[in-house]
Amino acid sequence: MKELTKNEIEKLVFTYAGQENLTFPGEFDHRLDVISSKILYSLLREVQPHTCLEFGTSLGGSALVTPKALDRNDKPYKYIGFEMLDDLRRETIRNLLHWANGKLPDKLDYEIYADITKNRDKIPQELDFAFLDPDWDKDGIPEGQIGIAQWMFENIIPGVKTGGLVAIHDWSVTKDLVYEGGGYPGIFYFIDLFKQNKMPLKKIFSDWDWEEYKKLNIALSFWEKI
């Protein structure tokens, strides 16, 4: 997929999230703003992945939107989520069930696990889509070992198939790879990989590239595995 302009992404959002009346839960802070949620939903409807992984479900915002999009696609799919904090993992499951009125979509094959580093066998050998939103500030997993960003680079991104979709949350980084929105060590690590041409990702769309979206403190980006 080529890199999309703001107009092109908005047309995609109108086609899917708009025409399909995508709604959002308001009962909890789901950590993924409405615009980013609509873009995520619409790209998943367009690309139609069937094996999907999310690392860092938090309270379940993207974990709500992703299965909703996958269920609208006319194909079977597998969704695997990981949240290292037990309380947030429980909230993900609770909110997912609540939003679905206690009944998840019939086609949904899903699991939510805790520590991804201890459940590597649960990660499919090939992924069509990976959503990366870990604790970017975490220095090691566990203490004294490699950082979470390096772990993802070595263990998740290689498993995404060529042409697969990758979403990176908290990517408040300019087109020139200047980090504007924080100081997470993991984001700096990813920036260095891009600068060294070691990151096998090609940009599709980044909220942070557009001033109108930046004003809303949005930082979600989408990439194609190359």
Side-chain angles (χ1 to χ4, degrees):
M1 180 181 288
K2 71 179 184 69
E3 184 171 354
L4 301 176
T5 66
K6 183 171 175 288
N7 285 339
E8 288 172 326
I9 205 75
E10 287 177 348
K11 288 180 181 178
L12 198 69
V13 166
F14 174 78
T15 299
Y16 292 112
Q19 298 282 48
E20 295 171 5
N21 297 314
L22 179 65
T23 58
F24 303 89
E27 298 85 8
F28 66 98
D29 178 11
H30 40 96
R31 306 293 177 90
L32 193 66
D33 60 88
V34 172
I35 292 176
S36 292
S37 297
K38 288 181 177 180
I39 294 172
L40 170 63
Y41 176 89
S42 301
L43 277 171
L44 292 175
R45 289 284 288 115
E46 176 74 8
V47 175
Q48 300 207 7
H50 60 86
T51 305
C52 306
L53 178 147
E54 179 173 358
F55 181 24
T57 64
S58 186
L59 295 172
S62 48
L64 299 177
V65 173
T66 298
K68 202 172 187 71
L70 298 175
D71 197 60
R72 292 297 295 265
N73 295 336
D74 189 22
K75 61 194 307 183
Y77 61 89
K78 172 75 175 178
Y79 171 84
I80 303 171
F82 292 91
E83 175 51 62
M84 299 180 80
L85 298 178
D86 288 340
D87 56 338
L88 293 182
R89 180 170 51 85
R90 286 191 292 268
E91 285 297 297
T92 293
I93 297 170
R94 187 187 73 82
N95 290 328
L96 185 60
L97 288 169
H98 175 70
W99 200 34
N101 295 318
K103 185 179 185 302
L104 296 174
D106 292 336
K107 290 187 293 182
L108 176 58
D109 180 8
Y110 94 108
E111 297 287 346
I112 307 289
Y113 296 101
D115 189 340
I116 193 171
T117 68
K118 297 177 182 178
N119 289 279
R120 293 178 60 178
D121 60 314
K122 307 297 193 305
I123 302 175
Q125 291 187 345
E126 184 175 80
L127 295 166
D128 298 299
F129 170 60
F131 188 102
L132 307 179
D133 186 21
D135 182 357
W136 295 101
D137 208 18
K138 195 172 174 105
D139 293 327
I141 46 169
E143 288 297 323
Q145 296 189 17
I146 64 173
I148 194 66
Q150 182 179 346
W151 194 93
M152 290 190 300
F153 177 68
E154 295 175 354
N155 294 277
I156 297 180
I157 292 177
V160 179
K161 72 176 186 181
T162 300
L165 182 67
V166 175
I168 302 175
H169 201 224
D170 300 312
W171 190 254
S172 49
V173 179
T174 69
K175 292 181 180 180
D176 298 325
L177 296 177
V178 176
Y179 189 11
E180 294 185 336
Y184 291 137
I187 297 294
F188 280 118
Y189 177 77
F190 269 31
I191 289 172
D192 287 340
L193 290 173
F194 277 112
K195 287 182 176 179
Q196 296 172 44
N197 294 316
K198 293 181 179 179
M199 182 66 86
L201 300 177
K202 180 183 71 174
K203 186 189 294 183
I204 296 174
F205 187 81
S206 176
D207 293 335
W208 208 255
D209 290 344
W210 305 93
E211 288 298 326
E212 180 182 341
Y213 290 164
K214 283 175 65 174
K215 293 175 183 177
L216 300 174
N217 296 316
I218 300 170
L220 182 62
S221 60
F222 297 90
W223 311 78
E224 181 182 1
K225 174 71 180 298
I226 56 176

